[in-house]
Amino acid sequence: MRQHTVAYLPGDGIGPEVCDVARRCVDAAGVRFGFEVGWDEQTVGGAAIDATGAALPPETLAACRAGDAVLLGAVGGPRWDDPTAAARPEDALLALRSELELFANLRPVTAHPALAAASPLRPEVRDGADILILRELTGGLYFGRPQGLEEHDGVESVVDTLRYTRAEIERIVELAFELAEGRRGRLTSVDKANVLASSRLWREVVNEVATRHPSVTVEHALVDSTAYLILTQPTAYDVIVTENLFGDILSDEAAAIAGSLGLMASASLGTRVTEQGRFGMYEPVHGSAPGIAGQGAANPLATVASAAMMLRLSLGEADAADALEAAVDEAVASGPRTADLGGSDGTAAVADFLLTRVADPAGVTA
Ligand code: IPM
Ligand code: MG
């Protein structure tokens, strides 16, 4: 029996509820396809601050390093919102990204026909949209130093630094071309090259890497016009690659194409290559939703879809990934719906629907 180890970090708010559904789906797929996952549960975020004083305790980081992948729920909540506090839940996310070198953040966006009413876009605009946003995750404004308040000659100022090394740009761009080759062969590199020096180097690197991938059609686009076009012509995009902050903003915006942030899955891939794939961290794009935490009302689909990406990209379990994705698709098409999708069903109803399909799709009668 194939064995995998996954660091299991449910975190705060609805994190534990949605992670539990994803874990049970993965276990059910393991029974069906012949593998076992050892879940190494650890605290992170606000829960970890309460337990240890730190948002990312050393044991949690060690468990992540030791695993084949990390499954994370969400971090944060009003209890830990004090901006002057010594430790903040979001610090854990940034520390995980940088400590584990998770440089590539994949955020797929598709327009499921069953969610036409949930999206503000007209059906003829969104139908067929299928975009993979690849966001650089360990550089740019999030990590550049210096950062913070400064005072020179009595004048107070504040600084953030947008820094990239050529190698950092090259590794994300290389992956973008590889992903485009496995899809429809179109790559849009998004930057602000009419203003930013970092964007001009970014363009240069994209053009260099492009010579190694002649089958991919590449275009450069400015981030402001892309913010407009992604909603007016979403079907024009295949793979989008962009720096950290641009990717943060564009991926939330693109969720409007899908119809709900509650459906957006993500993978954050690192540099470590495992026997079955590449080490990565998997989490829903949505947050901890403290307003509905503990009520059994959370939508687990984004986390289950993230677990499917984990099975495919880090654990090499493609059949299991297909099974989870098919179950999520069916749930979106005709299954129970949580409030974010306009329904009134609970997490448990969605979980039951998914689990019966992952365990034995042939046994389900429509
Ligand atoms: C995301 C989030 C994080 C980010 C926050 C919580 C720090 O918005 O994962 O997109 O800005 O990267
Ligand atoms: Mg964000």
Side-chain angles (χ1 to χ4, degrees):
M1 168 116 44
R2 297 183 298 281
Q3 302 282 339
H4 308 289
T5 307
V6 173
Y8 182 76
L9 278 48
D12 305 321
I14 60 170
E17 298 165 64
V18 293
C19 277
D20 177 65
V21 180
R23 172 161 70 173
R24 288 193 284 142
C25 285
V26 170
D27 286 341
V31 171
R32 179 166 152 209
F33 296 104
F35 64 88
E36 223 168 55
V37 171
W39 302 94
D40 186 356
E41 181 161 356
Q42 302 287 338
T43 56
V44 72
I49 293 176
D50 289 350
T52 71
L56 181 64
E59 312 81 67
T60 300
L61 182 57
C64 294
R65 286 195 205 284
D68 300 313
V70 181
L71 183 69
L72 185 135
V75 296
R79 272 177 59 201
W80 308 282
D81 260 356
D82 177 2
T84 63
R88 302 184 330 112
E90 291 76 12
D91 297 344
L93 266 188
L94 298 190
L96 280 167
R97 291 171 184 174
S98 99
E99 290 292 332
L100 302 172
E101 259 195 282
L102 303 172
F103 70 96
N105 184 213
L106 284 70
R107 296 186 166 182
V109 184
T110 51
H112 199 295
L115 292 178
S119 170
L121 303 187
R122 288 197 309 279
E124 67 269 27
V125 172
R126 82 188 267 282
D127 278 358
D130 178 3
I131 309 174
L132 177 61
I133 297 181
L134 183 60
R135 166 188 178 194
E136 201 291 328
L137 205 57
T138 50
L141 285 165
Y142 278 64
F143 295 98
R145 295 294 180 268
Q147 182 184 63
L149 292 171
E150 294 181 356
E151 196 172 319
H152 303 286
D153 304 325
V155 179
E156 197 183 14
S157 64
V158 65
V159 62
D160 288 292
T161 302
L162 204 178
R163 182 186 305 280
Y164 274 108
T165 64
R166 180 180 279 270
E168 283 174 327
I169 302 172
E170 196 169 336
R171 67 182 176 183
I172 187 82
V173 167
E174 176 65 39
L175 181 61
F177 275 97
E178 287 167 18
L179 291 167
E181 279 165 350
R183 290 171 50 101
R184 302 192 302 282
R186 290 210 319 264
L187 178 63
T188 307
S189 172
V190 175
D191 62 36
K192 187 71 185 173
N194 52 351
V195 178
L196 301 176
S198 54
S199 289
R200 291 194 281 272
L201 180 62
W202 185 283
R203 271 194 191 204
E204 194 182 306
V205 172
V206 169
N207 290 336
E208 268 169 34
V209 177
T211 61
R212 303 201 287 268
H213 301 274
S215 68
V216 175
T217 310
V218 56
E219 62 160 349
H220 299 281
L222 296 172
V223 64
D224 48 353
S225 71
T226 303
Y228 172 72
L229 291 171
I230 204 171
L231 292 187
T232 50
Q233 304 175 18
T235 56
Y237 296 94
D238 180 10
V239 178
I240 291 177
V241 64
T242 190
E243 73 87 44
N244 203 341
L245 182 64
F246 295 161
D248 179 46
I249 297 167
L250 288 180
S251 59
D252 267 27
E253 187 195 3
I257 302 165
S260 166
L261 210 47
L263 290 180
M264 297 269 293
S266 84
S268 302
L269 299 180
T271 49
R272 175 154 63 89
V273 174
T274 64
E275 248 169 68
Q276 314 90 346
R278 202 192 265 262
F279 173 79
M281 180 164 93
Y282 299 83
E283 56 176 318
V285 172
H286 64 70
S288 61
I292 58 162
Q295 297 172 15
N299 182 355
L301 292 179
T303 313
V304 176
S306 303
M309 294 178 85
M310 173 179 86
L311 288 164
R312 191 181 307 285
L313 300 173
S314 289
L315 307 186
E317 299 289 354
D319 291 339
D322 288 346
L324 262 65
E325 275 164 8
V328 169
D329 248 36
E330 226 186 303
V332 172
S334 60
R337 294 215 166 164
T338 45
D340 58 304
L341 299 181
S344 57
D345 295 305
T347 312
V350 182
D352 287 348
F353 184 93
L354 296 171
L355 282 163
T356 45
R357 277 151 186 85
V358 171
D360 179 17
V364 178
T365 43

